[in-house]
Amino acid sequence: MPTPLDLRVVSDPPALFQAAANEFASQAVASVKTAGRFTVALAGGSTPKSFYSLLASNDRDRLPWDKMFFFWGDERHVPPDHPESNYRMAFEALLSKVPVPAGNVFRIPAENPDANRAAEAYEQTLHDFFQPPVGTFPRFDLILLGMGPDGHAASLFPESKALHERSRLVVANWVEKFKTHRITLTLPVLNQAATVMFVVSGQDKSAALKEVLEGSQPPDFYPSKLVRPTNGNLIWLVDQAAASALSKPRS
Ligand code: 6PG
C-alpha cells in the first residue's frame, strides 16, 4: 500500500523551521518514551541549519539528549572542518550547543581520500550500531531530508548509479555535475525508516516539488519520488513558496 502523503504547507521560512523543530522534538520524546532511544539521520545543505539552531535554543533543556543518537543522511567528500561539511553545519548549529554525549554522534568519515572506503566504514558503523538481522536494513526513527531544485534527496542525484543500489546501506555516489563523490545512505535504508521528513523551502524548489508530488516523469529524473517508506510515515513539510506550483491550493 503506497505511503499516504502527509503534506504540510506553512506560510514562510520561520514558520517552516519552527514546525520542523516541533516535529523533531515530539518524535524524539515519543521514541525515547517507547523505545528508550531516538535514532535520527540529519539532513545537510542549507535549509535545516535554522531549525537545528532553533532546537538548540528552544529545546536544549527539555530533550533527552543522552538518549538521542545522531547520524547523517549524506556527506560531501570533505573533512569535518571544511565549510561544505554537513557534519560541521550540524555541529555548529546544534550538536555543539546541546548536552549530547560525543559517543552518540556518528559522523561520516568523509575526510578519507577514498570515498568508497569512507562509505564502507560508515556502513560498518550502521551495522555495529543497529545490528540489523542478515538481509534486513537498519530502521531509523527519523530521517531528515532536503530536496534539491533537480529533485535529488540526500545525495541521490538524478540518473546517478546509487539510485539502483539494493543491498548496500551506504555508498559513494559519483555526481557528474559536481565532479565529485558524495557519501550517501541508500534508498533501502531511507525507505526502512519509521519516519522520513522532507523540509523544503523556496521558490526554486517549486517546480521539482510539483513534479515529485504530482508529476509523471520517471523517478530516476526526480529521485525524491523514490523515497517512499515501506512501513513508515512520509512527511513533506514545505513553505508556501515551495508549494506555489502545486495544482490544488494547499494550506
Ligand atoms: C547536501 C544535502 C542535499 C540537500 C539538498 C537541498 O549535502 O547538500 O544533503 O540533499 O538537502 O541539496 O539543499 P538546500 O537545503 O541547501 O537547498
Side-chain angles (χ1 to χ4, degrees):
M1 200 195 43
T3 316
L5 174 63
D6 178 350
L7 173 65
R8 305 174 192 176
V9 181
V10 297
S11 54
D12 54 28
L16 181 75
F17 303 138
Q18 190 58 64
N22 294 349
E23 183 64 34
F24 181 103
S26 63
Q27 296 249 352
V29 169
S31 294
V32 169
K33 203 159 169 213
T34 52
R37 72 178 192 185
F38 174 63
T39 57
V40 58
L42 298 176
S46 56
T47 304
K49 189 172 182 177
S50 303
F51 105 70
Y52 293 164
S53 303
L54 266 182
L55 277 172
S57 52
N58 296 359
D59 298 292
R60 187 188 185 290
D61 303 326
R62 79 177 187 94
L63 289 182
W65 300 100
D66 61 327
K67 295 185 179 57
M68 296 164 64
F69 298 86
F70 294 86
F71 298 80
W72 275 258
D74 71 324
E75 185 57 280
R76 290 87 182 267
H77 195 198
V78 295
D81 58 355
H82 190 283
E84 286 190 21
S85 163
N86 286 338
Y87 165 77
R88 177 175 167 179
M89 181 273 282
F91 181 80
E92 290 175 351
L94 173 63
L95 300 170
S96 60
K97 298 178 177 161
V98 294
V100 61
N104 289 22
V105 177
F106 301 89
R107 70 175 179 80
I108 296 175
E111 67 274 22
N112 188 323
D114 183 332
N116 289 300
R117 290 274 169 285
E120 285 161 12
Y122 205 57
E123 190 162 39
Q124 192 56 50
T125 298
L126 295 186
H127 273 297
D128 296 345
F129 182 90
F130 287 96
Q131 303 189 346
V134 175
T136 71
F137 295 96
R139 184 172 173 82
F140 282 91
D141 295 309
L142 177 64
I143 295 183
L144 297 171
L145 294 174
M147 183 189 70
D150 60 0
H152 79 261
S155 280
L156 300 167
F157 283 82
E159 299 184 277
S160 62
K161 191 161 172 271
L163 297 183
H164 304 287
E165 180 54 56
R166 289 292 170 270
S167 57
R168 299 279 309 275
L169 311 185
V170 187
V171 293
N173 195 26
W174 178 255
V175 184
E176 185 56 32
K177 67 176 177 182
F178 300 143
K179 299 269 181 267
T180 183
H181 281 101
R182 289 275 191 96
I183 297 117
T184 185
L185 297 184
T186 60
L187 282 165
V189 176
L190 299 183
N191 289 332
Q192 186 58 22
T195 299
V196 173
M197 179 163 76
F198 280 93
V199 181
V200 182
S201 174
Q203 182 77 30
D204 65 329
K205 307 288 176 68
S206 58
L209 188 66
K210 179 174 179 59
E211 177 54 45
V212 169
L213 298 184
E214 300 176 351
S216 56
Q217 293 234 14
D220 272 27
F221 297 152
Y222 288 86
S224 293
K225 287 185 178 193
L226 297 165
V227 181
R228 309 301 300 259
T230 47
N231 169 21
N233 305 310
L234 176 61
I235 302 170
W236 283 90
L237 187 49
V238 307
D239 62 16
Q240 277 294 357
S244 56
L246 296 178
S247 62
K248 289 192 288 307
R250 314 264 179 165
S251 60

